[in-house]
Coordinates of all heavy atoms in Angstrom, one line a residue:
R66 N 28.3 33.5 -59.0 CA 28.1 34.9 -58.5 C 28.6 35.8 -59.6 O 27.9 36.9 -59.7 CB 28.8 35.0 -57.2 CG 28.1 34.2 -56.1 CD 28.7 34.6 -54.8 NE 28.0 33.8 -53.8 CZ 28.5 33.2 -52.8 NH1 29.8 33.1 -52.7 NH2 27.8 32.5 -51.9
Y67 N 29.6 35.5 -60.2 CA 30.1 36.5 -61.2 C 29.1 36.8 -62.3 O 28.8 37.9 -62.6 CB 31.4 35.9 -61.9 CG 31.8 36.6 -63.1 CD1 32.4 37.9 -63.0 CD2 31.7 36.1 -64.4 CE1 32.8 38.6 -64.2 CE2 32.0 36.8 -65.5 CZ 32.6 38.0 -65.4 OH 33.0 38.7 -66.5
L68 N 28.5 35.8 -62.8 CA 27.5 36.0 -63.8 C 26.3 36.8 -63.4 O 25.7 37.6 -64.2 CB 27.0 34.6 -64.4 CG 28.0 33.8 -65.2 CD1 27.4 32.4 -65.6 CD2 28.5 34.5 -66.3
S69 N 26.0 36.7 -62.2 CA 24.8 37.5 -61.7 C 25.1 39.0 -61.7 O 24.2 39.8 -61.6 CB 24.3 37.0 -60.3 OG 25.4 37.3 -59.3
T70 N 26.4 39.4 -61.8 CA 26.7 40.8 -61.7 C 26.8 41.4 -63.1 O 26.9 42.6 -63.3 CB 28.1 41.0 -61.1 OG1 29.1 40.4 -61.9 CG2 28.2 40.4 -59.7
L71 N 26.6 40.6 -64.1 CA 26.7 41.1 -65.5 C 25.3 41.6 -66.0 O 24.3 41.0 -65.5 CB 27.2 40.0 -66.5 CG 28.5 39.4 -66.2 CD1 28.8 38.2 -67.2 CD2 29.6 40.5 -66.3
A72 N 25.4 42.6 -66.9 CA 24.2 43.0 -67.5 C 23.7 42.0 -68.5 O 24.4 41.3 -69.1 CB 24.4 44.4 -68.1
V73 N 22.4 42.0 -68.7 CA 21.8 41.1 -69.8 C 22.4 41.5 -71.0 O 22.5 42.7 -71.4 CB 20.2 41.3 -69.8 CG1 19.7 40.5 -71.0 CG2 19.6 40.9 -68.4
G74 N 22.8 40.5 -71.8 CA 23.4 40.7 -73.1 C 25.0 40.9 -73.1 O 25.6 40.9 -74.2
S75 N 25.5 40.8 -71.9 CA 27.0 40.9 -71.8 C 27.6 39.6 -72.4 O 27.0 38.5 -72.4 CB 27.5 40.9 -70.3 OG 27.0 42.2 -69.7
E76 N 28.8 39.7 -73.0 CA 29.5 38.6 -73.5 C 30.5 38.0 -72.5 O 31.1 38.8 -71.7 CB 30.3 39.0 -74.8 CG 29.4 39.4 -75.9 CD 30.1 39.6 -77.2 OE1 31.3 39.1 -77.3 OE2 29.6 40.3 -78.1
V77 N 30.5 36.7 -72.5 CA 31.5 36.1 -71.6 C 32.3 35.1 -72.5 O 31.8 34.6 -73.5 CB 30.8 35.3 -70.5 CG1 30.1 36.2 -69.6 CG2 29.8 34.2 -71.1
V78 N 33.4 34.8 -72.0 CA 34.4 33.8 -72.8 C 34.3 32.5 -71.9 O 34.5 32.5 -70.8 CB 35.8 34.4 -72.8 CG1 36.7 33.2 -73.4 CG2 35.9 35.7 -73.6
V79 N 34.1 31.4 -72.7 CA 34.1 30.1 -72.1 C 35.0 29.2 -72.9 O 35.3 29.4 -74.0 CB 32.6 29.5 -72.0 CG1 31.7 30.4 -71.2 CG2 32.1 29.3 -73.4
A80 N 35.4 28.1 -72.2 CA 36.2 27.0 -72.8 C 35.6 25.7 -72.6 O 35.3 25.4 -71.4 CB 37.6 27.1 -72.4
L81 N 35.3 24.9 -73.5 CA 34.7 23.6 -73.4 C 35.9 22.6 -73.7 O 36.6 22.7 -74.7 CB 33.6 23.3 -74.3 CG 32.4 24.3 -74.1 CD1 31.4 23.9 -75.1 CD2 31.8 24.1 -72.7
K82 N 36.1 21.6 -72.9 CA 37.1 20.6 -73.1 C 36.5 19.2 -73.0 O 35.6 19.0 -72.2 CB 38.2 20.7 -72.0 CG 38.8 22.0 -71.9 CD 39.9 22.2 -70.9 CE 40.5 23.6 -70.9 NZ 41.6 23.7 -69.9
P83 N 36.9 18.3 -73.8 CA 36.4 17.0 -73.8 C 36.7 16.2 -72.6 O 37.8 16.5 -71.9 CB 37.0 16.3 -75.0 CG 38.3 17.1 -75.3 CD 38.1 18.5 -74.8
S84 N 35.8 15.4 -72.1 CA 36.0 14.6 -71.0 C 37.0 13.5 -71.2 O 36.9 12.9 -72.3 CB 34.7 14.1 -70.5 OG 34.8 13.2 -69.4
I85 N 37.7 13.1 -70.1 CA 38.6 12.0 -70.2 C 38.0 10.8 -69.4 O 38.5 9.8 -69.4 CB 40.0 12.3 -69.7 CG1 39.8 12.8 -68.2 CG2 40.7 13.3 -70.6 CD1 41.3 12.9 -67.6
M86 N 36.8 11.1 -68.9 CA 36.2 10.0 -68.1 C 35.2 9.2 -69.0 O 34.3 9.8 -69.6 CB 35.4 10.6 -66.9 CG 36.3 11.4 -66.0 SD 35.4 12.4 -64.7 CE 34.4 11.1 -63.9
V87 N 35.4 8.0 -69.1 CA 34.6 7.1 -69.9 C 34.3 5.8 -69.2 O 35.1 5.4 -68.3 CB 35.2 6.7 -71.3 CG1 35.2 7.9 -72.1 CG2 36.5 6.0 -71.1
L88 N 33.1 5.2 -69.4 CA 32.8 3.9 -68.9 C 33.6 2.8 -69.6 O 33.8 2.9 -70.8 CB 31.3 3.6 -68.9 CG 30.5 4.3 -68.0 CD1 28.9 4.2 -68.3 CD2 30.7 4.0 -66.6
P89 N 33.8 1.7 -68.9 CA 34.4 0.5 -69.6 C 33.5 0.0 -70.8 O 32.3 0.2 -70.7 CB 34.6 -0.5 -68.6 CG 34.2 0.0 -67.3 CD 33.6 1.4 -67.5
E90 N 34.0 -0.6 -71.8 CA 33.2 -1.1 -72.8 C 32.3 -2.2 -72.4 O 31.2 -2.3 -72.9 CB 34.1 -1.6 -74.0 CG 34.8 -0.5 -74.8 CD 35.5 -1.1 -76.0 OE1 35.0 -2.1 -76.6 OE2 36.5 -0.5 -76.4
S91 N 32.8 -3.0 -71.6 CA 31.9 -4.1 -71.0 C 30.9 -3.6 -70.0 O 31.3 -3.0 -69.0 CB 32.8 -5.2 -70.4 OG 31.9 -6.1 -69.7
L92 N 29.6 -3.9 -70.2 CA 28.6 -3.5 -69.3 C 28.7 -4.2 -67.9 O 28.2 -3.8 -66.9 CB 27.2 -3.7 -69.9 CG 26.8 -2.9 -71.1 CD1 25.4 -3.3 -71.6 CD2 26.8 -1.4 -70.8
E93 N 29.4 -5.3 -68.0 CA 29.5 -6.2 -66.8 C 30.7 -5.8 -65.9 O 30.9 -6.3 -64.9 CB 29.5 -7.6 -67.1 CG 28.2 -8.1 -67.8 CD 28.2 -9.5 -68.1 OE1 28.2 -10.3 -67.1 OE2 28.2 -9.9 -69.3
A94 N 31.5 -4.9 -66.4 CA 32.7 -4.5 -65.6 C 32.3 -3.7 -64.5 O 31.4 -2.8 -64.5 CB 33.7 -3.7 -66.5
P95 N 32.9 -4.0 -63.3 CA 32.6 -3.2 -62.1 C 33.2 -1.8 -62.2 O 34.1 -1.6 -62.9 CB 33.2 -3.9 -60.9 CG 34.1 -4.9 -61.5 CD 33.7 -5.1 -63.0
V96 N 32.5 -0.7 -61.7 CA 32.9 0.6 -61.8 C 33.0 1.2 -60.4 O 31.9 1.1 -59.7 CB 31.9 1.5 -62.7 CG1 32.4 2.9 -62.7 CG2 31.9 0.9 -64.1
V97 N 34.1 1.8 -60.1 CA 34.2 2.5 -58.8 C 34.5 4.0 -59.1 O 35.4 4.3 -59.9 CB 35.4 2.0 -57.9 CG1 35.6 2.8 -56.7 CG2 35.1 0.5 -57.6
M98 N 33.6 4.8 -58.6 CA 33.7 6.3 -58.9 C 34.0 7.0 -57.6 O 33.4 6.7 -56.5 CB 32.4 6.8 -59.5 CG 32.1 6.1 -60.8 SD 30.4 6.4 -61.4 CE 29.5 5.5 -60.2
A99 N 35.0 7.9 -57.6 CA 35.3 8.7 -56.4 C 35.1 10.2 -56.7 O 35.9 10.7 -57.6 CB 36.7 8.4 -56.0
G100 N 34.2 10.9 -56.2 CA 34.0 12.3 -56.4 C 34.8 13.1 -55.4 O 34.3 13.4 -54.3
L101 N 36.0 13.5 -55.8 CA 36.8 14.2 -54.9 C 36.9 15.7 -55.3 O 37.9 16.2 -55.8 CB 38.2 13.6 -54.9 CG 38.2 12.1 -54.6 CD1 39.6 11.5 -54.8 CD2 37.8 11.8 -53.2
G102 N 35.8 16.3 -55.2 CA 35.7 17.8 -55.6 C 35.5 18.0 -57.1 O 35.6 19.0 -57.6
T103 N 35.2 16.9 -57.9 CA 35.0 17.0 -59.3 C 33.6 17.3 -59.7 O 33.4 17.6 -60.9 CB 35.4 15.6 -60.0 OG1 34.6 14.6 -59.4 CG2 36.8 15.3 -59.7
G104 N 32.7 17.2 -58.9 CA 31.3 17.4 -59.3 C 30.6 16.1 -59.5 O 31.2 15.1 -59.8
M105 N 29.3 16.1 -59.5 CA 28.5 14.9 -59.6 C 28.0 14.7 -61.1 O 27.7 13.6 -61.4 CB 27.3 15.1 -58.8 CG 27.5 14.9 -57.3 SD 28.1 13.3 -56.8 CE 26.6 12.3 -57.1
A106 N 28.1 15.6 -62.0 CA 27.6 15.5 -63.3 C 28.0 14.3 -64.0 O 27.2 13.4 -64.6 CB 27.7 16.7 -64.1
P107 N 29.3 14.0 -64.2 CA 29.8 12.8 -64.9 C 29.3 11.5 -64.3 O 28.9 10.6 -64.9 CB 31.3 12.9 -65.0 CG 31.7 14.0 -64.1 CD 30.5 14.8 -63.7
F108 N 29.3 11.5 -62.9 CA 28.9 10.3 -62.2 C 27.4 10.0 -62.4 O 27.0 8.9 -62.4 CB 29.4 10.4 -60.8 CG 30.8 10.6 -60.6 CD1 31.3 11.6 -59.8 CD2 31.8 9.8 -61.2 CE1 32.7 11.9 -59.7 CE2 33.1 10.0 -61.1 CZ 33.6 11.0 -60.4
R109 N 26.6 11.1 -62.3 CA 25.2 10.9 -62.5 C 24.9 10.4 -63.9 O 24.1 9.5 -64.1 CB 24.4 12.3 -62.3 CG 24.4 12.6 -60.8 CD 23.7 14.0 -60.7 NE 22.4 14.0 -61.1 CZ 21.7 14.9 -61.7 NH1 22.3 16.1 -62.0 NH2 20.4 14.8 -62.0
A110 N 25.6 10.8 -65.0 CA 25.4 10.4 -66.2 C 25.8 8.9 -66.4 O 25.2 8.1 -67.0 CB 26.3 11.2 -67.2
F111 N 27.0 8.5 -65.7 CA 27.3 7.1 -65.7 C 26.3 6.2 -65.1 O 26.0 5.1 -65.6 CB 28.7 6.9 -65.0 CG 29.8 7.5 -65.7 CD1 31.0 7.8 -65.1 CD2 29.8 7.8 -67.1 CE1 32.1 8.4 -65.7 CE2 30.9 8.4 -67.8 CZ 32.0 8.6 -67.1
L112 N 25.7 6.7 -63.9 CA 24.7 5.9 -63.2 C 23.4 5.8 -64.1 O 22.8 4.7 -64.2 CB 24.4 6.5 -61.9 CG 25.4 6.4 -60.8 CD1 25.1 7.4 -59.7 CD2 25.6 5.0 -60.3
E113 N 23.1 6.9 -64.7 CA 21.9 6.9 -65.6 C 22.0 5.9 -66.8 O 21.1 5.2 -67.1 CB 21.6 8.2 -66.1 CG 21.0 9.2 -65.0 CD 20.9 10.6 -65.5 OE1 21.2 11.0 -66.6 OE2 20.5 11.5 -64.6
D114 N 23.2 6.0 -67.4 CA 23.6 5.1 -68.5 C 23.5 3.7 -68.1 O 22.8 2.9 -68.8 CB 24.9 5.5 -69.1 CG 25.2 4.8 -70.4 OD1 24.4 5.0 -71.3 OD2 26.2 4.1 -70.5
R115 N 24.1 3.3 -67.1 CA 24.1 1.9 -66.6 C 22.7 1.4 -66.2 O 22.3 0.4 -66.4 CB 25.2 1.8 -65.5 CG 25.4 0.4 -65.0 CD 26.1 -0.6 -66.0 NE 27.5 -0.4 -66.4 CZ 28.5 -0.8 -65.8 NH1 28.4 -1.5 -64.7 NH2 29.7 -0.6 -66.3
W116 N 21.9 2.4 -65.6 CA 20.6 2.0 -65.2 C 19.7 1.8 -66.3 O 18.9 0.8 -66.4 CB 20.0 3.2 -64.3 CG 18.7 2.8 -63.7 CD1 17.5 3.2 -64.2 CD2 18.5 2.0 -62.5 NE1 16.5 2.7 -63.3 CE2 17.1 1.9 -62.3 CE3 19.3 1.3 -61.7 CZ2 16.5 1.2 -61.3 CZ3 18.8 0.6 -60.7 CH2 17.3 0.5 -60.5
A117 N 19.8 2.5 -67.4 CA 19.1 2.4 -68.7 C 19.4 1.0 -69.3 O 18.5 0.3 -69.7 CB 19.4 3.5 -69.7
D118 N 20.6 0.6 -69.2 CA 21.0 -0.7 -69.7 C 20.4 -1.9 -68.9 O 19.9 -2.8 -69.4 CB 22.5 -0.9 -69.7 CG 23.2 -0.1 -70.8 OD1 22.6 0.2 -71.8 OD2 24.4 0.3 -70.5
K119 N 20.4 -1.6 -67.6 CA 19.8 -2.6 -66.6 C 18.3 -2.7 -66.9 O 17.7 -3.8 -66.9 CB 20.1 -2.2 -65.2 CG 19.7 -3.3 -64.2 CD 20.2 -2.8 -62.8 CE 19.9 -3.9 -61.8 NZ 20.5 -3.7 -60.5
E120 N 17.6 -1.6 -67.1 CA 16.2 -1.6 -67.4 C 15.8 -2.3 -68.7 O 14.7 -2.8 -68.9 CB 15.6 -0.1 -67.5 CG 15.7 0.6 -66.2 CD 14.5 0.1 -65.3 OE1 13.4 0.1 -65.7 OE2 14.9 -0.3 -64.1
Q121 N 16.8 -2.5 -69.6 CA 16.6 -3.2 -70.9 C 17.1 -4.6 -70.7 O 17.2 -5.4 -71.7 CB 17.4 -2.6 -72.0 CG 16.9 -1.2 -72.3 CD 17.8 -0.5 -73.3 OE1 18.6 -1.1 -74.0 NE2 17.7 0.8 -73.5
N122 N 17.2 -5.1 -69.4 CA 17.6 -6.5 -69.1 C 19.0 -6.9 -69.6 O 19.2 -8.1 -69.9 CB 16.5 -7.4 -69.5 CG 15.2 -7.2 -68.8 OD1 15.2 -7.0 -67.5 ND2 14.1 -7.2 -69.5
K123 N 19.8 -5.9 -69.8 CA 21.2 -6.3 -70.2 C 21.9 -6.5 -69.0 O 21.7 -5.9 -67.9 CB 21.8 -5.0 -70.9 CG 21.2 -4.7 -72.2 CD 21.9 -3.5 -72.8 CE 21.2 -3.1 -74.2 NZ 21.8 -1.9 -74.7
P124 N 22.9 -7.5 -69.0 CA 23.7 -7.8 -67.7 C 24.6 -6.7 -67.5 O 25.3 -6.2 -68.3 CB 24.4 -9.1 -68.2 CG 24.4 -9.1 -69.7 CD 23.2 -8.4 -70.1
T125 N 24.5 -6.2 -66.2 CA 25.3 -5.0 -65.9 C 26.1 -5.3 -64.6 O 25.7 -6.1 -63.7 CB 24.5 -3.8 -65.6 OG1 23.5 -4.0 -64.6 CG2 23.8 -3.3 -66.9
G126 N 27.3 -4.8 -64.5 CA 28.2 -5.0 -63.3 C 27.8 -4.0 -62.2 O 27.0 -3.0 -62.5
P127 N 28.4 -4.2 -61.1 CA 28.1 -3.3 -59.9 C 28.8 -2.0 -60.1 O 29.8 -1.9 -60.8 CB 28.7 -4.0 -58.7 CG 29.8 -4.9 -59.3 CD 29.4 -5.3 -60.8
M128 N 28.2 -1.0 -59.5 CA 28.8 0.5 -59.5 C 28.8 0.9 -58.1 O 27.9 0.6 -57.3 CB 28.0 1.3 -60.3 CG 28.0 1.0 -61.8 SD 27.1 2.2 -62.8 CE 28.4 3.3 -63.1
A129 N 29.9 1.6 -57.7 CA 30.0 2.2 -56.4 C 30.5 3.7 -56.6 O 31.4 4.0 -57.3 CB 31.1 1.5 -55.5
L130 N 29.8 4.6 -55.9 CA 30.1 6.0 -55.9 C 30.4 6.5 -54.5 O 29.7 6.3 -53.6 CB 28.9 6.8 -56.5 CG 29.0 8.3 -56.3 CD1 30.2 8.8 -57.2 CD2 27.7 8.9 -56.8
Y131 N 31.6 7.1 -54.4 CA 32.1 7.6 -53.1 C 32.3 9.1 -53.3 O 32.9 9.5 -54.2 CB 33.4 7.0 -52.6 CG 33.3 5.5 -52.4 CD1 33.7 4.6 -53.5 CD2 32.9 5.0 -51.2 CE1 33.6 3.2 -53.3 CE2 32.8 3.6 -51.1 CZ 33.1 2.8 -52.1 OH 33.0 1.4 -51.9
F132 N 31.7 9.9 -52.4 CA 31.9 11.3 -52.4 C 31.7 11.9 -51.0 O 31.1 11.2 -50.2 CB 30.9 12.0 -53.5 CG 29.5 11.9 -53.1 CD1 28.9 12.9 -52.4 CD2 28.8 10.8 -53.4 CE1 27.5 12.9 -52.1 CE2 27.4 10.7 -53.1 CZ 26.8 11.8 -52.5
G133 N 32.2 13.0 -50.8 CA 32.0 13.6 -49.5 C 31.1 14.8 -49.4 O 30.9 15.5 -50.3
A134 N 30.5 15.0 -48.3 CA 29.7 16.2 -48.0 C 29.7 16.5 -46.6 O 29.7 15.5 -45.7 CB 28.2 15.9 -48.4
R135 N 29.9 17.7 -46.2 CA 30.0 18.0 -44.8 C 28.7 17.8 -44.0 O 28.7 17.2 -42.9 CB 30.3 19.5 -44.7 CG 31.8 19.8 -45.1 CD 32.0 21.3 -45.0 NE 31.3 21.9 -46.1 CZ 31.8 22.6 -47.1 NH1 33.1 22.9 -47.1 NH2 31.1 23.1 -48.0
T136 N 27.6 18.0 -44.6 CA 26.3 17.8 -44.0 C 25.3 17.2 -45.0 O 25.2 17.8 -46.1 CB 25.7 19.1 -43.4 OG1 25.4 20.0 -44.5 CG2 26.5 19.7 -42.3
R137 N 24.7 16.1 -44.6 CA 23.7 15.4 -45.6 C 22.6 16.4 -46.0 O 22.3 16.4 -47.1 CB 23.3 14.2 -45.0 CG 22.3 13.4 -45.8 CD 21.8 12.1 -45.1 NE 21.0 11.4 -46.0 CZ 21.3 10.3 -46.7 NH1 22.5 9.9 -46.6 NH2 20.4 9.7 -47.5
A138 N 22.1 17.1 -45.0 CA 20.8 17.8 -45.3 C 21.2 19.0 -46.2 O 20.3 19.4 -47.1 CB 20.3 18.4 -44.0
A139 N 22.4 19.6 -46.2 CA 22.6 20.8 -46.9 C 23.3 20.5 -48.2 O 23.2 21.2 -49.2 CB 23.6 21.8 -46.1
E140 N 24.0 19.3 -48.4 CA 24.8 19.0 -49.5 C 24.4 17.7 -50.2 O 25.0 17.4 -51.3 CB 26.3 19.0 -49.1 CG 26.7 20.4 -48.6 CD 28.2 20.3 -48.2 OE1 29.0 19.9 -49.1 OE2 28.5 20.6 -47.1
Y141 N 23.5 17.0 -49.8 CA 23.1 15.7 -50.5 C 22.0 16.0 -51.5 O 20.9 15.5 -51.4 CB 22.7 14.7 -49.4 CG 22.7 13.2 -49.9 CD1 23.8 12.7 -50.5 CD2 21.6 12.5 -49.6 CE1 23.7 11.4 -51.0 CE2 21.6 11.1 -50.0 CZ 22.7 10.6 -50.7 OH 22.6 9.3 -51.1
L142 N 22.5 16.9 -52.4 CA 21.4 17.4 -53.3 C 20.7 16.4 -54.3 O 19.6 16.5 -54.6 CB 22.2 18.4 -54.3 CG 22.8 19.5 -53.6 CD1 23.6 20.5 -54.6 CD2 21.8 20.4 -52.9
Y143 N 21.4 15.3 -54.5 CA 20.9 14.3 -55.4 C 20.5 13.0 -54.7 O 20.4 11.9 -55.2 CB 21.8 14.0 -56.6 CG 22.2 15.2 -57.4 CD1 23.5 15.8 -57.2 CD2 21.3 15.8 -58.2 CE1 23.8 16.9 -58.0 CE2 21.6 16.9 -59.0 CZ 22.9 17.5 -58.8 OH 23.2 18.6 -59.5
G144 N 20.3 13.2 -53.4 CA 20.1 12.1 -52.5 C 18.9 11.1 -52.9 O 19.1 9.9 -53.0
E145 N 17.8 11.7 -53.2 CA 16.6 10.9 -53.6 C 16.9 10.2 -54.8 O 16.6 9.0 -55.0 CB 15.4 11.7 -53.7 CG 14.9 12.2 -52.4 CD 13.6 13.0 -52.5 OE1 13.0 13.0 -53.6 OE2 13.3 13.8 -51.6
E146 N 17.6 10.8 -55.8 CA 17.9 10.2 -57.1 C 18.8 9.0 -56.9 O 18.7 8.0 -57.4 CB 18.5 11.3 -58.0 CG 18.9 10.7 -59.4 CD 19.6 11.8 -60.2 OE1 19.2 13.0 -60.1 OE2 20.4 11.4 -61.1
L147 N 20.0 9.3 -56.1 CA 21.0 8.2 -55.9 C 20.4 7.1 -55.1 O 20.7 5.9 -55.4 CB 22.1 8.8 -55.1 CG 22.9 9.9 -55.9 CD1 24.0 10.5 -55.0 CD2 23.6 9.3 -57.1
D148 N 19.6 7.4 -54.1 CA 18.9 6.3 -53.3 C 18.0 5.4 -54.2 O 17.9 4.2 -54.0 CB 18.2 6.9 -52.1 CG 19.0 7.5 -51.1 OD1 20.3 7.2 -51.1 OD2 18.5 8.3 -50.2
A149 N 17.5 6.0 -55.2 CA 16.5 5.2 -56.1 C 17.2 4.1 -56.9 O 16.7 3.2 -57.4 CB 15.8 6.1 -57.0
Y150 N 18.6 4.3 -57.1 CA 19.3 3.3 -57.9 C 19.6 2.1 -57.1 O 20.1 1.1 -57.7 CB 20.7 3.9 -58.4 CG 20.5 5.0 -59.4 CD1 20.9 6.2 -59.3 CD2 19.9 4.6 -60.7 CE1 20.8 7.2 -60.2 CE2 19.8 5.6 -61.7 CZ 20.2 6.9 -61.4 OH 20.0 7.8 -62.4
N151 N 19.4 2.0 -55.8 CA 19.6 0.8 -55.0 C 18.6 -0.2 -55.3 O 17.5 -0.1 -55.4 CB 19.7 1.1 -53.5 CG 21.1 1.7 -53.2 OD1 22.1 1.3 -53.8 ND2 21.1 2.6 -52.2

């Protein structure tokens, strides 16, 4: 909402920090992810990465993603995408 109040061309200050979240080196290692208010972006990237390996017939371990949403209809934004990984 803050950005929508700015005039076009306004300058903003941002800070980018490296992620501390990484997948295990072994593709076969199981991965458990818990989204406790952290956002879905890193977890979606991990799922996409592991799915790409699986599509190349590389042996991959299981992954589980746990996250909360008050209402499925309003907050399950990536539902179709996540369901497709099953």
Side-chain angles (χ1 to χ4, degrees):
R66 293 188 176 132
Y67 167 73
L68 293 177
S69 67
T70 65
L71 298 176
V73 173
S75 295
E76 290 188 22
V77 295
V78 177
V79 299
L81 300 177
K82 298 180 181 183
S84 175
I85 59 170
M86 297 171 62
V87 294
L88 284 173
E90 286 189 34
S91 170
L92 296 177
E93 297 183 66
V96 177
V97 176
M98 301 169 285
L101 308 172
T103 59
M105 288 291 292
F108 302 125
R109 288 177 63 214
F111 292 159
L112 290 168
E113 289 171 3
D114 189 57
R115 187 64 67 92
W116 187 259
D118 290 330
K119 190 173 186 171
E120 290 288 304
Q121 295 174 15
N122 295 318
K123 296 178 182 177
T125 57
M128 297 184 87
L130 171 60
Y131 299 95
F132 65 96
R135 288 175 290 240
T136 60
R137 182 179 179 100
E140 299 181 54
Y141 198 47
L142 303 176
Y143 305 105
E145 290 179 13
E146 178 182 333
L147 295 173
D148 291 343
Y150 288 121
N151 282 327

